[in-house]
Amino acid sequence: VLAGLASLPAHAEKADRKEKVTINAIDGDADHAKGFYRLEKSVAIVQGTLRITADKGTAQTTADENYNTTLTGKPVCFRQRTDNGDWAQGVADRVDYDSGKGIVELFGNAILFVGDDETRANYITYNTQTSKYEARESKQRASEGKGVTFVLQPRDKEEAPKKDGAAADASK
């Protein structure tokens, strides 16, 4: 089952990309020459409004000064403010994040909230730069299971003002 949905524009705050990255954990080791970090216990990665928390994980810096992470926990939590002021936030058993592409992948018992809308699936990929996301049973689309669920809140729509003639006709 494949389902894609793009809701109201809700791109991640562009200012986040220019912020420093802070990685915290109780235990960890690093190979600065290779840009590799192994993290354990109370892991938190923060960049601007982006915050990912987990039990353990790894982070790898890239040649273009971005980073990739794989984090696991029960659950891993992701949160980032969008340019329109809403929050994009999700939980899953595992989260992979590519800061250069702005791609968040949520694996296992995944739930993503963008504003008031909710998506549930075993696998969700969310592009923080375009606000597009896909939900399906597995990354490879190979397994069957409980499928996906989208819960969309009603959008406020301004009612068009009635014309004076229509109001007059209605009173007859």
Side-chain angles (χ1 to χ4, degrees), residues 10-22 45-52 65-67 78-88 97 99-100 102 104 126 128-129:
H11 306 95
E13 283 194 349
K14 290 181 178 102
D16 284 352
R17 293 183 218 154
K18 296 178 181 169
E19 296 286 333
K20 68 180 177 188
V21 177
T22 302
I45 297 176
V46 178
Q47 183 177 23
T49 67
L50 169 72
R51 180 175 178 84
I52 305 173
E65 298 185 17
N66 289 301
Y67 63 95
F78 153 81
R79 183 174 183 172
Q80 185 171 35
R81 184 176 298 279
T82 64
D83 277 338
N84 68 4
D86 285 335
W87 287 96
Y97 179 60
S99 72
V104 178
Y126 174 64
T128 65
Q129 296 173 5

Side-chain angles (χ1 to χ4, degrees), residues 16-135:
D16 284 352
R17 293 183 218 154
K18 296 178 181 169
E19 296 286 333
K20 68 180 177 188
V21 177
T22 302
I23 301 172
N24 290 305
I26 297 205
D27 292 321
D29 30 270
D31 182 335
H32 291 289
K34 293 181 181 177
F36 182 81
Y37 304 86
R38 186 193 55 76
L39 313 156
E40 296 210 11
K41 300 177 187 164
S42 299
V43 177
I45 297 176
V46 178
Q47 183 177 23
T49 67
L50 169 72
R51 180 175 178 84
I52 305 173
T53 59
D55 294 332
K56 63 182 178 177
T58 60
Q60 175 77 50
T61 56
T62 61
D64 58 357
E65 298 185 17
N66 289 301
Y67 63 95
N68 299 317
T69 63
T70 297
L71 301 162
T72 58
K74 296 286 184 184
V76 179
C77 300
F78 153 81
R79 183 174 183 172
Q80 185 171 35
R81 184 176 298 279
T82 64
D83 277 338
N84 68 4
D86 285 335
W87 287 96
Q89 48 194 348
V91 294
D93 297 335
R94 181 179 119 204
V95 170
D96 291 356
Y97 179 60
D98 180 329
S99 72
K101 295 178 182 174
I103 302 290
V104 178
E105 292 180 284
L106 300 108
F107 296 85
N109 301 306
I111 305 170
L112 175 68
F113 295 92
V114 179
D116 292 328
D117 295 338
E118 174 183 340
T119 303
R120 292 176 180 260
N122 201 43
Y123 173 79
I124 300 171
T125 181
Y126 174 64
N127 186 320
T128 65
Q129 296 173 5
T130 65
S131 163
K132 292 184 180 177
Y133 48 99
E134 288 184 35

